[in-house]
Amino acid sequence: MAQPFSTQAIEQKSPMFVSLGMIVLDELHFSSQTARYDVPGGSGLYERIFRYLTPQLQPRPVDLEKSELLGSQSFHFLAGPELLQEMVRSLLSLLTDASRNTRPLIVWEPAPLSCKRELLDEHMQACRLVDIFSPNHEELKALMQDGEPERSLPFLREDVERGAASFLDAGIGPEKQGLVVIRCGEHGCLTLSQRTGVNWSPPFYEPASPRIADTTGAGNAFLGGFAVGWLQTEDVREAAIFGSVAASFALEQIGLPVFSPATSTSDETWNEVHVSARLEEYRRKLPAVRGGTV
């Protein structure tokens, strides 16, 4: 798939992924467990059912003006369509002022509260500024249906594909060569592009797996992994593999997975697992369940 950006001129030491979603300290209250406090959270790490107890702090591209993070190969935004357009234009202006002539990969996760049928046109217009548009399947449903979406209806791949195709047909990216990525939780994910068409990938864990401690954060972790996978391979299926594996680490505990940096004798690990080993484990599952799609 032809990319609407080039990664060739980017310095080798530049970061690969920067998220401009919010990060907060969460209070987690459960019906049958002791409350937990000061858990790193917010949309910059992941999202959950919540209410804000303090004023919202939204990071913006101008906050990166003096930082090496401005040289990232990709940027993730969580915002409504109006704010998204403002922030993308600000980012591109900052890059021009800094004499950075290579356009980064731009990933847009629409803010859940902005996903309403009456804002569908605004979302489609904003999609022209980004390379990857990624609502989850409930947010997509809210954008495509009038009124409050009926959550009791069964999950149908056909509905997800139809909604995703509407955005692809309207155009993703400046050259309409971008991707639609729909995160569907226990149903896996859909990737859709003009070149590769429809591709479904399963989740790493089955829904009933005892390894799943908390599903919060899986969608956001998926997007970080997907962006890195796409930058490294330019292959949507490989990017979905990276995303699914990244999501698997977010599922295994409440809060962030345990990171152990690389040493002179070993690679980095997450939850004491090498990412390369988990990638291979996931790939071994795919031939039995898919021939192009699953």
Side-chain angles (χ1 to χ4, degrees), residues 99-201:
S99 299
R100 297 180 182 272
N101 299 318
T102 303
R103 188 180 191 276
L105 178 73
I106 297 176
V107 181
W108 180 26
E109 179 182 357
L113 295 179
S114 75
C115 294
K116 303 174 181 177
R117 179 65 177 81
E118 58 265 32
L119 295 178
L120 176 61
D121 290 343
E122 286 85 344
H123 280 79
M124 288 185 168
Q125 181 176 355
C127 278
R128 299 169 189 168
L129 294 177
V130 306
D131 303 295
I132 297 174
F133 176 59
S134 183
N136 65 34
H137 65 291
E138 295 291 352
E139 292 158 355
L140 178 67
K141 185 189 300 183
L143 282 165
M144 303 308 297
Q145 294 182 3
D146 290 318
E148 189 70 20
E150 179 53 64
R151 294 182 180 272
S152 63
L153 293 176
F155 176 87
L156 295 175
R157 284 187 172 186
E158 294 82 359
D159 292 342
V160 177
E161 292 172 9
R162 191 179 305 111
S166 296
F167 279 93
L168 190 69
D169 292 344
I172 308 295
E175 299 177 11
K176 297 187 177 182
Q177 293 297 309
L179 309 173
V180 182
V181 180
I182 310 299
R183 295 164 288 118
C184 302
E186 69 270 26
H187 306 289
C189 73
L190 165 71
T191 56
L192 182 64
S193 71
Q194 296 287 3
R195 179 180 176 184
T196 61
V198 171
N199 181 65
W200 282 92
S201 298

